[in-house]
Amino acid sequence: MLNHFTFSDDNKRYHTLAYHNRKTYGGRVCKATVDAGLSCPNIDGSRGFGGCAFCAQTPRCEQSVKEQFESEKARILRKFPDARILLYYAAHSNTYCPTGHLSEMLREAVDLGAFGVSIATRADCLDEEKTALLSCFPRPMTVELGLQTAHDSTAALVNRCHTFAEFLRGYELLKAHGIRVCVHIINGLPHESAEMMLETARILGKLRPDGIKIHLLHILRGTKLCNMYNSGELKPLEKSEYIDIVARQLELLPPETVIERVTGDGDKNLLVAPLWSADKISVLGGLDKRLAELDTFQGRCFV
């Protein structure tokens, strides 16, 4: 079997974001994460109340987008002086607003000198007008689209308040406009077996997304999932389980899809479980080791 993955110039056996940025833009690209002060249809009652069961309702940032961006930019450049800086609208659903407001958000990114923009949102917060606007953005653009799971039964259990069919409509609208899409999924959701998590990856792989973020379910204080965990109804994944599932998910994904994350960063001030997730380096190293042990790589089982 191959011992060197095609989309790699080091020992990685999957298509990392760092590799993508080096090959596409010639160097490091970092995200300045900001809160635009928007809400979500799953919080304000348009689709549901209280948000997803895993979502911690934290206070909104009181700083302006400009203040947040400049602070993030300074932090990044202290560590990586040559980095290009993307403005990342991350909090809640960032197309859940009038088209005119979305236009102002994009214009502000340009005015701030951002190299490009990433916009996190839900598929049910997209329409033809907004998608056409996004497609005209003159700098690198990625829409980060939350799926979390392809299984409607799980989505209902965690109060996602939209279906896979609705996700698919939003995804196809973005792709029809030539917009780069990164899809988020979560491993360890309540009552999902390893095979269900693999099926989410298998289904998603067939869509050939530009990017994927694979997250671990973090149980955060104050969430509905925390109540399930405290009652014994929810058991978080062990580190070895998670690493093995991710390794097998990578086999099912097309090799050209950029893997933008293979774990997540839970707020350490709110994290209840699994506590091993706080050691991100050991998870990344464990995944590299597991892929080498299996002598496998991203896309090996993709059909």
Side-chain angles (χ1 to χ4, degrees):
M1 189 175 293
L2 292 174
N3 60 8
H4 186 79
F5 177 61
T6 302
F7 292 90
S8 175
D9 52 14
D10 53 21
N11 68 332
K12 293 295 184 182
R13 292 169 177 251
Y14 57 96
H15 193 161
T16 68
L17 182 59
Y19 175 86
H20 167 76
N21 287 335
R22 286 196 301 272
K23 293 298 180 181
T24 306
Y25 305 118
R28 188 184 298 273
V29 179
C30 296
K31 290 181 178 178
T33 301
V34 302
D35 181 342
L38 299 178
S39 186
C40 173
N42 198 21
I43 291 175
D44 68 7
S46 296
R47 297 297 298 266
F49 291 97
C52 300
F54 48 78
C55 184
Q57 301 301 312
T58 55
R60 310 314 302 270
C61 183
E62 295 182 359
Q63 290 183 313
S64 68
V65 167
K66 179 179 180 180
E67 290 171 327
Q68 294 174 69
F69 179 78
E70 294 297 346
S71 176
E72 281 280 274
K73 179 180 176 181
R75 176 187 63 81
I76 293 166
L77 292 179
R78 280 195 298 271
K79 188 172 183 180
F80 305 115
D82 297 328
R84 296 175 174 89
I85 312 297
L86 285 170
L87 192 155
Y88 180 24
Y89 288 112
H92 295 143
S93 300
N94 290 279
T95 59
Y96 186 50
C97 59
T99 305
H101 185 77
L102 180 60
S103 179
E104 292 173 4
M105 290 166 59
L106 298 177
R107 189 178 305 113
E108 182 167 31
V110 172
D111 292 343
L112 289 171
F115 173 68
V117 169
S118 281
I119 297 182
T121 193
R122 288 164 52 105
D124 56 357
C125 297
L126 293 165
D127 57 28
E128 179 66 33
E129 186 179 26
K130 291 175 185 175
T131 308
L133 171 66
L134 294 171
S135 71
C136 295
F137 189 68
R139 300 182 184 182
M141 157 74 70
T142 297
V143 172
E144 302 203 15
L145 204 55
L147 171 61
Q148 321 313 355
T149 176
H151 304 283
D152 285 347
S153 57
T154 306
L157 182 62
V158 299
N159 198 44
R160 279 295 290 167
C161 293
H162 77 60
T163 64
F164 180 73
E166 288 176 297
F167 162 82
L168 196 57
R169 285 195 291 272
Y171 176 85
E172 290 176 343
L173 185 60
L174 291 167
K175 296 309 296 178
H177 281 82
I179 296 171
R180 185 177 187 274
V181 182
C182 176
V183 181
H184 292 219
I185 61 173
I186 298 176
N187 289 332
L189 290 168
H191 308 317
E192 283 210 347
S193 64
E195 183 51 46
M196 291 174 73
M197 298 175 220
L198 294 178
E199 184 63 14
T200 289
R202 188 177 293 111
I203 291 169
L204 189 52
K206 292 182 184 301
L207 297 177
R208 293 183 175 271
D210 301 285
I212 291 178
K213 284 186 176 179
I214 303 174
H215 294 272
L216 166 69
L217 179 69
H218 292 99
I219 299 169
L220 303 178
R221 189 176 299 109
T223 64
K224 297 173 186 176
L225 286 191
C226 189
N227 295 334
M228 294 177 67
Y229 172 74
N230 289 334
S231 69
E233 187 180 351
L234 174 60
K235 183 178 182 295
L237 292 171
E238 298 292 341
K239 182 165 72 170
S240 59
E241 290 180 290
Y242 180 77
I243 287 172
D244 190 66
I245 289 167
V246 173
R248 291 193 285 156
Q249 286 175 321
L250 290 173
E251 291 183 313
L252 299 169
L253 298 173
E256 67 272 15
T257 293
V258 181
I259 309 303
E260 301 200 12
R261 272 188 182 274
V262 292
T263 185
D265 298 312
D267 186 334
K268 292 180 175 59
N269 295 317
L270 299 176
L271 182 66
V272 175
L275 295 180
W276 59 259
S277 66
D279 188 357
K280 185 176 178 180
I281 298 299
S282 73
V283 178
L284 296 173
L287 178 60
D288 290 340
K289 181 180 178 182
R290 184 59 179 153
L291 290 169
E293 288 173 347
L294 296 171
D295 195 14
T296 193
F297 49 87
Q298 181 182 338
R300 187 177 73 85
C301 300
F302 175 72
V303 290

